[in-house]
Every structure is written in C-alpha cells, then in structure tokens.
C-alpha cells in the first residue's frame, strides 16, 4: 500500500486521504447553543457526546483540571433542550475552553439524542424550503 501511495506522492499522513480516528465521537457545530458555567453564559463552538468547546472571556478564571457543572442549552424552532452535565476542563486558552464530559447516564444520552434529532429535523426542514 505504501508503494502505491508513494508512487502518487501521497503519504498516509497527508490530507484527508485516510479518516482521522483520533476522536471517539462525531463533533457537531454549536449554532443556537450556549453553555452556562455558574452564572455566565458562553457561546458553544462545538460539541460531541464526549465533550464540548466554548468561547470565554479572557478573565474567565477557568483552568485545566477544574471540574464544572455545565448547563447546555440548544435552541430549536419549537423547542429548547437543556442538559446539565458534569465536565472537566482539558484545554484552556485565553478565549476558549475545551471540556471532557463525565460519563453520560441514560437520561443524558437521551437528551443528547433529542438534540441530534432536533438538528436533523431543522436540516431537513431547511432543505425542503429551498
């Protein structure tokens, strides 16, 4: 296989020739979604069943290793899904945080399934309107 790839000047590490298996869960973008930490709401950048990333202010005072109780709110045309989820900060930057969720219980999994269903329903509705 490497001989064939090298003939075409392609390596296993280049581009999207091979899927990236580093992530356990599919990432979803977070429009119409927010995460609340304490009394402060932040825009959700993206999320998966394993974690999320969100924008913060430079003075958020959140550090790697902090354990948080997140409230995630996903807004749809006719519904809002709110999920309370414990998480731990795994990356912290000046204007962004990445968290890893604690293992999901069955209620949390059902709530995230509702969110995915909501995104799929809105995508279908918008495709039919065009």
């Amino acid at each position: 296989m490497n001989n064939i790839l090298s003939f075409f000047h392609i390596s296993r590490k280049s581009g999207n020739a091979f899927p990236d298996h580093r992530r356990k869960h599919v990432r979803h973008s977070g429009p119409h979604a927010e995460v609340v930490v304490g009394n402060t709401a932040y825009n959700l950048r993206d999320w998966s069943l394993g974690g999320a990333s969100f924008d913060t202010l430079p003075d958020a005072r959140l550090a790697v290793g902090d354990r948080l109780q997140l409230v995630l709110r996903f807004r749809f045309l006719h519904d809002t899904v709110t999920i309370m989820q414990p998480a731990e900060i795994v990356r912290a930057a000046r204007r962004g945080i990445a968290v890893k969720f604690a293992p999901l219980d069955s209620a949390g999994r059902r709530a995230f399934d509702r969110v995915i269903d909501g995104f799929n329903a809105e995508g279908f509705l918008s495709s039919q309107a065009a």
Side-chain angles (χ1 to χ4, degrees):
M1 181 65 145
N2 287 331
N3 290 341
I4 295 169
L5 292 174
S6 65
F7 177 78
F8 292 107
H9 305 288
I10 300 172
S11 73
R12 288 186 175 262
K13 296 178 184 176
S14 68
N16 291 328
F18 294 91
D20 183 2
H21 296 290
R22 292 179 297 169
R23 297 202 185 271
K24 186 175 180 180
H25 303 285
V26 175
R27 304 292 290 175
H28 305 276
S29 61
H32 314 314
E34 68 182 10
V35 60
V36 179
V37 178
N39 294 326
T40 307
Y42 302 103
N43 288 326
L44 192 62
R45 286 185 194 162
D46 61 26
W47 62 277
S48 74
L49 294 177
S53 66
F54 54 94
D55 297 322
T56 59
L57 301 173
D59 62 347
R61 296 191 181 113
L62 298 171
V64 172
D66 288 353
R67 294 179 189 267
L68 310 169
Q69 179 65 33
L70 304 178
V71 177
L72 297 120
R73 287 194 190 109
F74 298 90
R75 295 183 191 344
F76 299 105
L77 293 173
H78 302 291
D79 191 17
T80 298
V81 178
T82 302
I83 303 170
M84 294 183 68
Q85 180 63 38
E88 179 180 349
I89 297 176
V90 293
R91 281 190 312 278
R94 184 173 163 89
R95 293 192 162 267
I97 298 291
V99 297
K100 176 182 174 184
F101 294 149
L104 295 175
D105 59 10
S106 59
R109 178 61 194 217
R110 282 192 305 273
F112 277 111
D113 286 343
R114 281 185 55 210
V115 171
I116 292 169
D117 289 345
F119 280 126
N120 291 336
E122 283 192 353
F124 175 76
L125 289 174
S126 66
S127 73
Q128 298 303 304

